[in-house]
Amino acid sequence: MTPEACLLSTHMEPERFEDVGLLIFDECHLMHPSTDGDRRAIDAMLCILGFTRVAPVADIVLLSAMMKNSEELSGWLAELTGRAALALDNAWKPTRQLRGCIVYDAKRLAELHKLLRSERRKKPKGGVPAAVGRQLTVRPNAFFSVKQTWASQVRRDYALVPLLDEALQLSTNKFWKLTPNSGVVASSVAAAAARAGLRTLVFSQSIPNAVSIADKAGIALDVCDVELNESERRAYEVAVDEMGDPEQLYLTLTDGKLTSRATTHHGQLLPEERQLAESLYKRKGALSVLAATPTLGQGMNLPADLVIIAEDSQYDTASGRKDLLKPEDLLNAAGRAGRAGENATGIVLVVPGRLVPLDDDENKIGSRWTRLRDIFGQSDQCLVLNDPFTALMDRIHDNATDAGDLEKYVVARLAETQHGEDGQLDVRLGLARSFAAYRKCLEAEEDWVESRTAAALSLLNTDDEDLAIEAITLRNTASMLGMPEDVLKDLASALSDRGFESFTSVAELCNWMFDWMLAKPEHMPRVIKPEGLEYLFGNDFKKLKDDQSRADYALPKLRAALEAWMGGAPLIEIQKELSDKTRDKKRSTSARKFVIRIIPDLAHLLGAPLQILQGHINMQSSDPVEQVPALIHANRCVRRGYASAEMAAFNTLMWSAKWSRREVHRNFSNVVTYLKAASPGETIEALEARVEAASNAELNDRDLSDLI
C-alpha cells in the first residue's frame, strides 16, 4: 500500500497490523521533504511512527538507492524500535552503466551563431525566418565516460561517439539564441537505438513533451504487427470501455494489434493503459520506445537498455526560470537503465538544457557539462534524508497562534491519546519519537524537543483541564481523517442537524455534501486539495480570487462529473461536464485528471460522515445512532464509481469476477429487476441479504433460460 494508505489504516483499523511482522518501505527517500510543507513526505514519516505504535514488535526495512545517511537513520530506527538496526551502505550495483551526454562540434556551433547574428541584422524585429531555421543543423555526438561516474576531468577517460548519420535541426528562442531541440534529439536517438535492437526509455518533464517524443519516434520507426496476449487484450478492452472510444487512448492499436513501436507513460494513464504499455514494453519485438514523465522514475522495473534524459531542467514557478533538476532526480532516472535479471549493462544519455560545445583541439567543453559532471560525478547515494517535521515544528514554535491547517494536522497526528488510570485523558506528543528529535538529541539540543513539544501541545489546548470528551473525540477523528478540526466540527454539526440515519441513498449523501460545500465555500479548499483543483481546471480556476467564486465555478462541474462517474458513464462523456476545450477533449484529459486526482479526495470526504458518526458522535452518546448502508458504502461507491450501496454490495458478492467499473454497472442492471425494495431503517445486513437474493434469482433464471 502507499504510505498514505498505511497511515490511515494505523488510525482507522489498527487491528489489521496485529499479525504484521515486517514493514518494507521501498523508495523511502519519499520521507525527505522536496518542498517546505511537503505533505507526502510528512505522511511518509507519520506512517513509520504510526506503524511502530500499532506493530511495536515488527521489523522495519527502509530501502532507497538515493539514501546517503543510512547510518544515522539506522540509529534512529534502533531507538524507535528498541532493537538493534543495521545500516547497509553499499555502492555496488547489479548492473554496470555507460553514462554520457549530448555534445556538439564547437566549430559548427560557432558557424551557426555567426549565421544568426548576420541574419538578425537584416531582420531586427520578429523571430527567426523559417528558411534560416532550416539551416541550423548539426550532428549530435555522445560524450561518454568510460568509468561508472564522471569523477575524472581527464580527456582520455571519455569517449566521443557519433550517434546519427544525419544532422538535426536546432531550435531558437525569442532572442535568436540557439537552444537544444531536445524533443527532436531524444526521439531521433531513441528511434536509431530501437533500430539497433535497444529498448529505450525517454524521460521528459511534461506529458505533452513525452507524447510528442513518442509520436516522433513512432513515425521514424517501421510499422509493426504484434498480437496482444490474453491479459493485454483484457487490459485494452477495459481501457477502451472506460474511455468510451479507442481513439481516446494514448496507445493506439489497429484491428486489435500493436502497429507502432513507441508510446508514452505518465500519470494520466488509466491503470489498464499503464498495465498494457508496460507489458508490451517488456515483450521483445513489441514496444521499443517508451517516453515517460518522472512518475516512472520511482522504482519501476522495466528492461531498458538505454535511458535518455531528454530534459535536465524543470521550470520553477517561484523563480520564473528553468533550474537544473536535483541530483537525486537525475540519478534516479538514470538508474532505470539496465535492470537486474534483465540486462547486465545499461546506457544513460543526457540531453542538456543548454547546448554543450566540445572543442577537442582546444580541450574545451561547455559549462553545462561541468554542472552535470558535479552530479554524475557522485554515487547514487547522494541524498541526506531530512525530517519534514523540523521546519514545520520550528514554524509552530515561532508562531503557534497563527498555525495553519497543515501544522494543526501534524500535531494532531503526532498526539497519541489514551485514557489513563484516573479516567482522564493523557496526551503524549509523538514528536519525541521522530527522526527530527533523534537528531536534535544527538546534537545535545534537547531543549529544541522540549520547546517544540510545548508549542505543539499549546495547539491541542491540553492545559484545559475541562476539555470535554466531545472535543477530544472530534480532535481524534480530525486527526484520523487528516481534516481541519474546525471544518470537521462544522460538518459534524450539519450532519447532526440533518440526521445521520436520514440518508437513504449514496446519491442523496453526495448531493447533500455538495450543497454543504456551496453553503460553506471557505471549506472547499480545505477538504479538496487546491493543487488538485488547479490541476484539473487550470487558469480559469486559478484567476478566481475568492472562495465563493471558486466554489461557484468548481462545485457544479464536480457534482455533474461525479454523478456521471457513479452512473457508469465513460470518460468521454464525463469530459463534457468538465471542459469543452479542444485540447482537453482529444484524450478526455479533464476526465482523466478528475478520476485520478479528484475522485480520491471526494471519496475521502464522502467517507467522513461514517467516521464522524463512529469516532465522534457515537463515542459520546449512550444511545448510538444506527449506521445506515448509504454511509457505510459512500466511500467505496465514490472511489469505484458505483451508483448505490446495493451496487457496491453486489460487487463485493461477485468479487471473484474481477469486473471493471462499467462491467459492474452492466451486470448489476440484470439484477435490478429482481431486487426487492428496501424496508424502512434497513440495516447493512438486510441490504446484503436483499442483494444476494436478487443475484441468486437472476442466476437461476439465466440457468433455466440456458437449459431451455
Side-chain angles (χ1 to χ4, degrees):
M1 61 178 74
T2 63
E4 293 87 349
C6 185
L7 171 63
L8 188 63
S9 293
T10 60
H11 282 263
M12 294 178 64
E13 302 173 285
E15 67 279 359
R16 292 180 65 187
F17 296 87
E18 289 177 356
D19 297 326
V20 175
L22 174 65
L23 170 74
I24 299 176
F25 190 162
D26 196 15
E27 306 291 346
C28 69
H29 56 266
L30 290 173
M31 297 185 299
H32 178 78
S34 59
T35 60
D36 187 20
D38 184 342
R39 176 65 180 265
R40 185 150 207 213
I42 288 169
D43 281 348
M45 191 63 74
L46 285 170
C47 168
I48 292 181
L49 296 179
F51 177 81
T52 56
R53 176 173 53 82
V54 299
V57 300
D59 292 324
I60 297 176
V61 175
L62 303 182
L63 292 175
S64 173
M66 303 286 105
M67 184 172 22
K68 191 172 185 178
N69 52 331
S70 54
E71 286 284 354
E72 188 180 31
L73 282 159
S74 70
W76 169 56
L77 286 181
E79 184 171 287
L80 184 65
T81 62
R83 302 188 299 280
L86 288 172
L88 176 61
D89 186 7
N90 193 335
W92 176 84
K93 294 167 68 75
T95 58
R96 297 291 294 169
Q97 288 185 338
L98 181 66
R99 295 174 172 177
C101 82
I102 296 291
V103 299
Y104 302 93
D105 179 68
K107 294 182 177 63
R108 175 58 179 163
L109 290 183
E111 292 173 1
L112 298 180
H113 286 303
K114 183 179 179 181
L115 171 64
L116 285 173
R117 287 194 298 270
S118 172
E119 292 296 330
R120 193 171 192 186
R121 285 193 290 268
K122 301 175 187 176
K123 186 178 179 291
K125 294 183 179 181
V128 177
V132 176
R134 287 192 291 270
Q135 300 178 54
L136 305 177
T137 59
V138 61
R139 285 182 61 186
N141 299 311
F143 194 56
F144 284 112
S145 170
V146 297
K147 297 183 177 180
Q148 181 76 3
T149 62
W150 298 5
S152 172
Q153 296 187 61
V154 179
R155 177 63 180 87
R156 65 174 176 270
D157 290 333
Y158 296 87
L160 184 64
V161 180
L163 289 176
L164 303 172
D165 294 331
E166 71 278 4
L168 299 180
Q169 184 177 325
L170 299 177
S171 52
T172 54
N173 60 22
K174 62 181 180 180
F175 304 109
W176 289 54
K177 298 294 184 183
L178 284 173
T179 58
N181 204 344
S182 58
V184 170
V185 174
S187 59
S188 300
V189 174
R195 286 192 290 269
L198 300 178
R199 273 179 287 194
T200 303
L201 182 58
V202 185
F203 281 111
S204 186
Q205 291 301 307
S206 71
I207 293 174
N209 287 356
V211 172
S212 175
I213 289 169
D215 288 345
K216 288 182 174 68
I219 292 171
L221 290 168
D222 293 334
V223 173
C224 61
D225 186 29
V226 178
E227 291 274 4
L228 304 188
N229 61 34
E230 184 178 350
S231 63
E232 290 166 349
R233 280 197 303 273
R234 169 65 179 165
Y236 176 71
E237 289 166 359
V238 171
V240 171
D241 190 28
E242 280 294 316
M243 294 304 305
D245 185 342
E247 296 298 320
Q248 293 285 307
L249 300 185
Y250 280 94
L251 181 62
T252 303
L253 276 71
T254 304
D255 297 328
K257 295 181 180 179
L258 178 70
T259 54
S260 174
R261 294 196 181 278
T263 192
T264 186
H265 190 297
H266 52 75
Q268 287 180 16
L269 298 183
L270 297 183
E272 293 78 16
E273 281 182 293
R274 185 178 298 112
Q275 175 190 338
L276 179 58
E278 292 173 4
S279 177
L280 287 168
Y281 186 72
K282 290 176 181 178
R283 286 177 57 186
K284 291 185 177 180
L287 284 174
S288 300
V289 177
L290 197 61
T293 56
T295 55
L296 193 57
Q298 295 292 341
M300 294 297 294
N301 271 319
L302 292 175
D305 302 298
L306 167 65
V307 164
I308 300 174
I309 302 176
E311 295 174 272
D312 66 355
S313 56
Q314 189 174 34
Y315 183 76
D316 184 1
T317 53
S319 64
R321 65 173 186 270
K322 275 195 168 186
D323 293 331
L324 197 65
L325 291 172
K326 295 177 181 177
E328 58 267 26
D329 294 330
L330 285 168
L331 291 170
N332 208 25
R336 303 307 110 196
R339 308 304 298 164
E342 293 280 354
N343 311 77
T345 59
I347 306 171
V348 180
L349 194 58
V350 183
V351 182
R354 294 182 181 177
L355 294 171
V356 176
L358 176 65
D359 188 335
D360 257 340
D361 294 336
E362 298 290 334
N363 200 28
K364 291 181 179 179
I365 193 168
S367 60
R368 187 56 162 239
W369 180 85
T370 305
R371 292 188 66 189
L372 287 169
R373 193 189 70 83
D374 291 339
I375 294 173
F376 287 100
Q378 56 187 301
S379 69
D380 288 355
Q381 292 103 317
C382 61
L383 183 62
V384 176
L385 268 60
N386 293 320
D387 191 325
F389 298 156
T390 305
L392 187 138
M393 299 309 296
D394 284 343
R395 288 202 302 273
I396 294 174
H397 175 263
D398 295 340
N399 197 4
T401 58
D402 195 31
D405 287 345
L406 181 62
E407 288 77 13
K408 292 176 182 177
Y409 161 75
V410 171
V411 170
R413 284 285 202 196
L414 285 171
E416 298 173 4
T417 309
Q418 57 188 10
H419 288 278
E421 293 180 359
D422 57 359
Q424 298 297 311
L425 290 171
D426 175 30
V427 178
R428 180 173 63 86
L429 196 68
L431 177 63
R433 301 195 304 125
S434 70
F435 183 43
Y438 171 77
R439 277 181 152 182
K440 294 297 182 181
C441 289
L442 286 183
E443 297 165 2
E445 294 184 32
E446 289 84 355
D447 57 332
W448 184 92
V449 181
E450 294 173 4
S451 62
R452 271 56 181 178
T453 299
L457 290 171
S458 71
L459 291 184
L460 296 174
N461 300 316
T462 52
D463 293 335
D464 185 356
E465 296 180 358
D466 298 323
L467 196 63
I469 295 292
E470 179 182 358
I472 291 295
T473 59
L474 181 69
R475 175 176 300 146
N476 290 345
T477 305
S479 168
M480 178 181 64
L481 291 170
M483 292 176 64
E485 196 172 324
D486 60 319
V487 174
L488 204 67
K489 184 177 181 180
D490 274 1
L491 181 56
S493 176
L495 285 164
S496 295
D497 291 343
R498 161 66 190 252
F500 286 88
E501 70 283 4
S502 68
F503 294 104
T504 59
S505 69
V506 174
E508 187 181 358
L509 176 61
C510 290
N511 280 318
W512 182 90
M513 190 66 77
F514 276 102
D515 289 340
W516 176 76
M517 284 192 286
L518 279 169
K520 297 275 189 177
E522 68 277 11
H523 289 341
M524 184 186 73
R526 304 175 73 193
V527 295
I528 304 176
K529 296 184 185 69
E531 57 269 26
L533 294 171
E534 292 177 0
Y535 178 66
L536 172 60
F537 294 121
N539 289 329
D540 291 344
F541 182 79
K542 291 179 184 179
K543 68 184 181 184
L544 300 173
K545 301 301 182 184
D546 58 86
D547 292 330
Q548 186 66 63
S549 60
R550 287 189 165 203
D552 290 343
Y553 177 89
L555 290 176
K557 293 178 182 290
L558 296 182
R559 189 200 297 252
L562 180 61
E563 183 179 348
W565 165 252
M566 294 173 65
L571 268 65
I572 196 172
E573 295 297 323
I574 298 173
Q575 175 64 37
K576 296 175 183 178
E577 307 294 348
L578 296 167
S579 172
D580 60 0
K581 295 177 180 177
T582 303
R583 68 170 184 269
D584 294 331
K585 291 194 296 184
K586 184 177 181 181
R587 288 191 174 96
S588 297
T589 54
S590 301
R592 289 171 178 272
K593 293 174 182 178
F594 172 76
V595 170
I596 293 168
R597 291 284 290 273
I598 303 298
I599 281 295
D601 281 4
L602 291 177
H604 189 64
L605 176 61
L606 268 298
L610 177 64
Q611 302 307 323
I612 292 171
L613 180 60
Q614 290 177 331
H616 176 49
I617 302 298
N618 284 347
M619 285 289 288
Q620 51 182 310
S621 174
S622 58
D623 186 20
V625 177
E626 186 69 29
Q627 300 172 20
V628 296
L631 264 62
I632 293 172
H633 280 297
N635 175 284
R636 192 155 184 259
C637 284
V638 174
R639 188 176 297 276
R640 299 288 182 86
Y642 301 152
S644 63
E646 288 87 349
M647 187 179 290
F650 170 72
N651 185 59
T652 301
L653 181 66
M654 308 297 292
W655 66 271
S656 61
K658 292 182 172 55
W659 289 324
S660 66
R661 174 183 66 105
R662 300 197 70 216
E663 287 172 334
V664 171
H665 277 265
R666 287 193 289 269
N667 284 286
F668 184 69
S669 68
N670 298 325
V671 174
V672 168
T673 55
Y674 299 86
L675 196 62
K676 294 181 179 179
S679 58
E682 183 180 50
T683 64
I684 187 66
E685 292 80 12
L687 179 142
E688 290 170 351
R690 189 161 53 88
V691 171
E692 185 172 8
S695 299
N696 290 336
E698 189 272 337
L699 182 61
N700 289 335
D701 276 6
R702 190 166 7 119
D703 289 344
L704 182 60
S705 176
D706 291 343
L707 285 173
I708 294 173

